[in-house]
Amino acid sequence: MKKYWKSLDEYNGKPEALRQDETKNISALELLGGDSPENKASRRDFLKWCGFSFMSAAVLSSCESPVKKAIPYLNQPEEVTPGMASWYASSFYDGKDYCPVLVKVRDGRPIKIEGNELSTFSGGGTHARVQALVLGLYDTAGRYQHPLSKGNKISWENADAEIIAKLSENDGDIVILTSTIISPSSKEVISRFIERYPNAKHIAYDAISYSAMREANNMAFGLKEIPFYRFDNAQLIVGFNADFLANWLLPIVFARQYSETRRIGKEKKTMSLHLQFESGMSVTGSNADERFTIKPQEELQILQDVYNFLNGNQSSELHPHAKLLGEQIQKHGNKTLIVSGTNDLKIQSLVNAINHLAGSYGTTIDFTNSLNLYQGKDSELLQLVRDMEEGKVSTLIVHDANPMYDFPGDTFRKALEKVSLKISLSSTLNETAEVSDYVLPSPHYLESWDDVAPAKGVYGVIQPVITPLFDTRQMQDSLLQWSGNSTSYKDFLKENWENKLFQLQSKHSSFNAFWQDSLQQGFFTIIADQGGSPTFNTSAMQNAGALEKIADSDGWNLLLYESTGIGDGRHANNPWLQELPDPITKVCWDNFAAISPVDSENLGVLNGDIIRIGNDEEIAVLVQPGQAPQTLSIAVGYGRTHAGKVAEGVGLNAYRFADYIDGFKSFTKTIDAPEKARSITTLALTQTHHNMEGRAIVRESTLPDWIIDPTAGNELHEYHEKHKTTLYPEVEFEAHHWAMAVDLNSCIGCNNCVVACQAENNIPVVGKKEVTRRRIMHWIRIDRYYTGKSDNPGVVYQPMMCQHCDNAPCENVCPVGALTHSDEGISQVTYNRCVGTKYCITNCPYKVRRFNWFEYARNKAFDYNMNDAFGRLVLNPDVTVRERGVVEKCSFCVQRIQEKKLIAKLENRQLRDGDIKTACMQSCPTKALVFGDLNNPESEVSKLFRDERNYHVLEELHTLPSVGYLTKIRNKL
């Protein structure tokens, strides 16, 4: 045992500061003597001395109330009511992901991001990264806080004077290197800069490149564009290594569209057929009706054979999957949509040709509203590196790009040494800024003015919701200053909208009214004329060499992919994202090499073993069912060396394995067979058991069976309804009975709701060590189960939160009455009463309760956002920050329920269905979660509970959960 007091007098006899220091980092169990047999008798005596009032460390540490400081307004603004939230419409764009958002501000602090439901573009959904980025605003360790010159602090005035002088003196090229910019006003600022410095040019660079897609479209249609994909119009969806539900292009929009094609009910008896061909298990592949594991080189072969099949060449040498796919394309015609995530010109050219033969253009593929995302051109970046090597580039200005980290090899680093002036305009610490002469930080997007145009005819406004926390300045203001323009970017932005966008609308007669309406709505849309199918250039494939046969390869392949949380690595210093479990593997705080069970057995490696690949690079292994044989999959975005205290030293930088092939950045590579280096177990897994052991936890059926019998797959529900017996009296709720329905057909397992819940309910980050002890604190988890054979299993997801059982087994075992059931059906925890016996955890069949083993807030041992004065600004004041030794769980966002009830009372009306949205429900991009009042028979949740697909988990226990699940239905070939 680490710390143990023989008596209460010994504890009380110590000075207060020493008592707090000794107990702060001790778990409740350790405080009571550890769990060894020799300590049990002593612990029983200690508990008798404590009389249960000191059973947990939480009570010991909560004897003194913390000092709270508040400064009142001298002159209170009319629009501000202390304690009431303000909401601002804005847009999220970080150079990669786009989402229309609403920002919740409490007493001047942005604390929560939600989707803008007025936007027809996204429908109100968000992504895990969108939810988490509010925390990045308060990241003092990961943000630059003032301008730097050679690592030393400098004033903006001196920095401007020095840079303007050097820009005027330099004879070489001036290059502005950025990630893709979708802001029309920012592009205009760059144009003004280039006018001032004719030797300047702008290059867009995307770490995750889609350059081959744009080039293939240019060759096939004369359009260097990425079309807008309409998954909601498709009846046959085919993906080739494209994780369009989690990371590919515009996943928030595509997930919403996809879920509409999968939603079924009494009025809709059809759903799309989804076929996925991929090498590593992805979120999208796990949701497919049929998933096919292929090696990387097979993708081109299958597409070639499908193209030949559709052209009438039905050779016996066709790939086994090609005939099946070709027949399905012929069956579904112009309702077919085929996409590929491979950055290869040949593959993208074949995808275009097959979509053209199917008639997809104009129905499921729309060039009228083409996307402005991912404008980077790989050939331009390669030329930049050559120019830098030859000394042609005198000045490099980098914004929202980090090639020192994500450019393969060390070529860029060596070339950068020959550039005399290097300027970084990054807002966050990164490897490129670290070697720059000047670091002139930009503010967080929540502190900035900007606009966005994610697609043709779609415009959005980014507005600041807080004064910049640090001494920062927007990139646009810096370029304007160096161009000799004294106009602020805010004024420039408004002027640009007045000159170019105001004339495109007819709703408002004055620009001021138009501008204010755009700010309030968050976006402005121009309805474009729907064009027909673009003309297809039949020689495009020959020009791309797409039909040339490739040599078979029996060797090993390495594949790089984006993780759902970390993405391309730019937000790696966010602890919410680091601790977010991967939807498939359930690993957090690390990347790894996913390997198939067959290869695992052949190589003699298990989960956590270290293998050696490439140039003696070492990485941990995870055995992944569904991984293609002789392939390894590794997530990029890890291995940061200069990002902040959270990200540095976490994982391996997998970008070093990428390469440029035929001028395009390739994320696949042929490698030698990996070798086992040593055995070690370090992976932080939040789920270690992967099957349901024959229990109907997630219930499934097929579409044909469900059409014949709507109760198919749900037979046990009717059995338990007929044979239920109980000693409990029947539960009645007079006013409201809150409940949630989960449509398993719509849930894609993206984990967005996990971060949304964490942000709303002040859930702490516990770190990798505690996760390995199974002490993660998330109130909602996404259980993932495998079914079938391990070489290519079926996958099902199930969001699992507190079920708020009407016959709650946790409530009647609490010795201190900390658990009660409200008169509105919510299972409540009174934190001040909880003494941490954990009887409720033992008695909960759903395992959804969390125990605070430590004090996570204001604790240097857990150096995340709750330990930092700035980081704590993100905390929701409506939700208690729990102490050590206290059990916590999902509360159905009771603070939101109370808020909406009070608003309805003030407006002298009844609550309307849909008024109350829990954090998980509001953020869900597929609308898989529905919350409401069961006492209202017309509410959406009541209708879903009456649906024949509805069932309850472990309903044979008769706990009467207030969470219902709709049976998952799969389509069949």
Side-chain angles (χ1 to χ4, degrees), residues 424-443:
S424 172
L425 304 180
S426 173
S427 62
T428 58
L429 275 66
N430 65 61
E431 290 77 1
T432 305
E434 180 68 6
V435 297
S436 297
D437 302 309
Y438 292 90
V439 178
L440 307 178
S442 299

Side-chain angles (χ1 to χ4, degrees), residues 65 189 201 228 329 345 364 411 509 571 582 615 617 642 776 820 863:
S65 299
V189 169
K201 59 182 176 180
F228 186 74
I329 293 173
L345 184 61
T364 61
T411 308
S509 58
H571 305 306
D582 181 87
N615 297 323
E617 298 286 356
H642 191 74
I776 199 163
T820 56
D863 196 11

Side-chain angles (χ1 to χ4, degrees), residues 144 177-179 205-207 381 398-408 412 416 424 426 428-436 568-570 639-643 653 655 665:
Y144 290 107
L177 181 65
T178 71
S179 57
Y205 165 61
D206 300 311
L381 185 66
V398 184
H399 174 67
D400 268 350
N402 190 13
M404 282 290 293
Y405 164 69
D406 48 42
F407 190 89
F412 191 91
L416 189 62
S424 172
S426 173
T428 58
L429 275 66
N430 65 61
E431 290 77 1
T432 305
E434 180 68 6
V435 297
S436 297
D568 65 359
R570 68 184 65 206
R640 297 291 304 276
T641 59
H642 191 74
N653 181 6
Y655 281 112
K665 193 173 186 178

Side-chain angles (χ1 to χ4, degrees), residues 148-151 419-424 433 435-439:
L148 299 169
S149 173
K150 300 291 185 181
V419 178
S420 58
L421 178 60
K422 301 174 283 291
I423 304 171
S424 172
V435 297
S436 297
D437 302 309
Y438 292 90
V439 178

Side-chain angles (χ1 to χ4, degrees), residues 257-325:
Q257 295 177 349
Y258 177 85
S259 67
E260 291 301 318
T261 72
R262 313 290 289 176
R263 203 180 303 276
I264 57 176
K266 292 181 179 179
E267 306 301 325
K268 185 175 180 290
K269 301 288 187 179
T270 61
M271 60 188 292
S272 62
L273 175 64
H274 176 195
L275 309 179
Q276 187 79 3
F277 299 81
E278 59 185 13
S279 303
M281 179 76 78
S282 69
V283 172
T284 303
S286 66
N287 282 277
D289 295 306
E290 294 286 347
R291 179 180 178 272
F292 305 90
T293 58
I294 60 173
K295 294 190 71 174
Q297 63 268 22
E298 287 185 89
E299 180 177 354
L300 180 59
Q301 181 185 350
I302 293 171
L303 289 170
Q304 287 176 341
D305 288 351
V306 169
Y307 176 78
N308 290 330
F309 177 87
L310 294 176
N311 274 325
N313 181 12
Q314 301 185 21
S315 170
S316 59
E317 298 179 359
L318 292 177
H319 189 282
H321 300 325
K323 183 178 179 181
L324 179 149
L325 180 54

Side-chain angles (χ1 to χ4, degrees), residues 145-289:
Q145 301 181 22
H146 48 72
L148 299 169
S149 173
K150 300 291 185 181
N152 299 314
K153 187 175 181 180
I154 188 175
S155 69
W156 285 102
E157 293 76 11
N158 290 341
D160 288 338
E162 293 176 12
I163 289 173
I164 290 173
K166 291 180 180 180
L167 289 176
S168 302
E169 294 171 359
N170 286 342
D171 296 328
D173 292 340
I174 300 173
V175 177
I176 302 174
L177 181 65
T178 71
S179 57
T180 293
I181 291 178
I182 62 172
S183 165
S185 298
S186 296
K187 287 187 174 182
E188 183 64 26
V189 169
I190 292 174
S191 297
R192 301 282 180 92
F193 181 86
I194 293 175
E195 288 178 6
R196 172 65 179 81
Y197 302 98
N199 56 333
K201 59 182 176 180
H202 173 223
I203 295 176
Y205 165 61
D206 300 311
I208 305 297
S209 177
Y210 293 83
S211 180
M213 181 183 293
R214 287 187 175 272
E215 183 60 29
N217 290 334
N218 181 43
M219 296 175 67
F221 307 107
L223 301 169
K224 290 186 178 181
E225 300 175 355
I226 296 177
F228 186 74
Y229 293 94
R230 297 297 305 267
F231 288 86
D232 51 341
N233 288 343
Q235 293 177 0
L236 173 64
I237 299 171
V238 183
F240 283 88
N241 288 312
D243 194 6
F244 56 81
L245 295 181
N247 292 295
W248 188 76
L249 286 179
L250 201 58
I252 299 170
V253 176
F254 297 157
R256 176 181 61 82
Q257 295 177 349
Y258 177 85
S259 67
E260 291 301 318
T261 72
R262 313 290 289 176
R263 203 180 303 276
I264 57 176
K266 292 181 179 179
E267 306 301 325
K268 185 175 180 290
K269 301 288 187 179
T270 61
M271 60 188 292
S272 62
L273 175 64
H274 176 195
L275 309 179
Q276 187 79 3
F277 299 81
E278 59 185 13
S279 303
M281 179 76 78
S282 69
V283 172
T284 303
S286 66
N287 282 277
D289 295 306

